[in-house]
Amino acid sequence: MTDDRLLGLHVLDLDGTLLRSDATLGDYAREGLNALLDAGTALTVASARSAVAIRELLAGVRLTLPVVELNGAFRTDLATGRHLAHATLGPETAAAALDALARLAAEPVLTTWDGTADHVLYGPCDDPATAWYIEEKRAYGDPRLRRCPDPYAAVAGARTAQLVAFVPDAGADAAADALRTALGDTAGVMAAANHYAPGWTEIQIAHPEAEKGLAVRRLAREAGLDGARLTVYGDHLNDLPMFAVADRAVAPANAHPRVLARASAVTAPNDEDGIVRYLLDGYLPDGTPADGHLPDGVVPGRHLPDGPPPVRHLPDGAPSC
């Protein structure tokens, strides 16, 4: 049996896509990813999370390609944690971002890099979302965590990979607009509701080139896969830049409506391991192949009884509803 869906490079988002809603990777998905990797599938991850978190969440998954972390701020060798490339803010822009967040009374959490080590620098954690953000990292023993009484001093001597702050959902659009006005083209501003901290929107400020689209294309070139078919998998707005540069974009059914509208294929939800099931099989329960052709040896109507949930394919760019 042959199926060309596994050709080329595959880049997977984590939260809401590969991970379940409780931010875990199920045993089925873990074993499936290793089966794909062992078979030679070129596969890696592009996430808003750090390499430290990726390594923890994907423990036991035998990734060998570099990963895209912090939405493209770094391309990193996962085994060693060494950054192979970066798109980070200099001291002046980072200080301007701190000024803009202060005007919004939004507490910053900084991820900085001194050329050798990464640090996550935080203050009093006065709101529940910021407290959750730090506590989650503390729970898996993130070695980057540091209390920081003076964020301005911290950014003065380092590169800043990102500034994160949380604002109530009701004021999120106005806050993001104010930050974009203040920073102009010196930084990118992204705002998205945080599923793990209901009622709060997470705002990220980073280098304009710290986005997944540029990062995955550069990763493909550096890995010797430039020109190979690029298939990407994602569920949220920060995945749209890589959807824009991919040959094929796949989303789980739980994805944001704007992501679903850009998807070439829609799988079962993340809580049903839809993405890994799609990669491992990709046939509808009645035996019809999702791509509209029958690989050698596949008989319509004879799908395995424990096969994957349905995979719904859409014409390129077609809305999902």
Side-chain angles (χ1 to χ4, degrees):
M1 183 186 299
T2 60
D3 182 2
D4 68 358
R5 76 179 54 244
L6 298 183
L7 297 179
L9 174 63
H10 299 259
V11 182
L12 288 72
D13 171 54
L14 286 184
D15 292 272
T17 302
L18 184 59
L19 300 181
R20 296 189 167 194
S21 297
D22 61 358
T24 63
L25 184 71
D27 290 341
Y28 175 93
R30 193 181 314 276
E31 293 170 8
L33 290 171
N34 280 330
L36 291 160
L37 291 163
D38 292 347
T41 305
L43 185 150
T44 191
V45 166
S47 176
R49 290 184 180 266
S50 68
V52 174
I54 294 170
R55 193 159 47 238
E56 175 73 17
L57 292 164
L58 300 187
V61 177
R62 296 185 282 275
L63 293 175
T64 57
L65 288 173
V67 299
V68 173
E69 59 169 316
L70 302 181
N71 281 324
F74 295 119
R75 297 192 298 285
T76 300
D77 179 86
L78 193 59
T80 65
R82 183 171 67 90
H83 300 315
L84 307 176
H86 70 96
T88 54
L89 299 173
E92 184 175 339
T93 302
L98 288 172
D99 288 342
L101 288 172
R103 289 193 290 273
L104 296 172
E107 181 181 339
V109 177
L110 308 172
T111 301
T112 63
W113 178 52
D114 62 12
T116 302
D118 300 324
H119 301 292
V120 174
L121 307 172
Y122 64 96
C125 300
D126 283 336
D127 65 78
T130 305
W132 163 84
Y133 187 81
I134 296 303
E135 186 54 38
E136 187 202 38
K137 293 170 176 53
R138 185 176 288 117
Y140 59 75
D142 193 327
R144 303 171 304 151
L145 286 174
R146 302 283 189 282
R147 279 200 169 272
C148 179
D150 185 355
Y152 287 93
V155 301
R159 304 295 300 185
T160 299
Q162 68 176 16
L163 300 91
V164 169
F166 292 87
V167 297
D169 289 345
D173 289 344
D177 287 344
L179 290 166
R180 293 185 183 109
T181 299
L183 298 172
D185 60 5
T186 66
V189 177
M190 183 182 304
N194 188 297
H195 300 306
Y196 305 121
W200 293 84
T201 291
E202 181 176 339
I203 294 180
Q204 298 177 3
I205 302 171
H207 192 280
E209 293 187 5
E211 51 98 339
K212 291 186 181 183
L214 282 172
V216 298
R217 277 300 184 194
R218 290 169 176 171
L219 185 152
R221 183 174 64 248
E222 293 157 2
L225 293 166
D226 199 21
R229 186 172 73 179
L230 174 62
T231 305
V232 301
Y233 305 78
D235 75 299
H236 215 342
L237 300 179
N238 63 326
D239 297 312
L240 288 176
M242 68 176 181
F243 273 42
V245 303
D247 300 297
R248 171 173 289 180
V250 181
N254 55 280
H256 189 285
R258 286 174 56 190
V259 176
L260 290 171
R262 298 287 299 276
S264 313
V266 177
T267 75
N270 62 323
D271 285 331
E272 297 176 23
D273 300 323
I275 294 297
V276 175
R277 292 183 184 277
Y278 168 87
L279 279 162
L280 286 173
D281 194 300
Y283 302 102
L284 303 180
D286 65 358
T288 304
D291 284 334
H293 67 274
L294 281 173
D296 295 339
V298 174
V299 179
R302 293 190 184 175
H303 194 71
L304 295 175
D306 60 349
V311 178
R312 177 161 55 91
H313 274 249
L314 308 171
D316 288 346
S320 63
C321 56

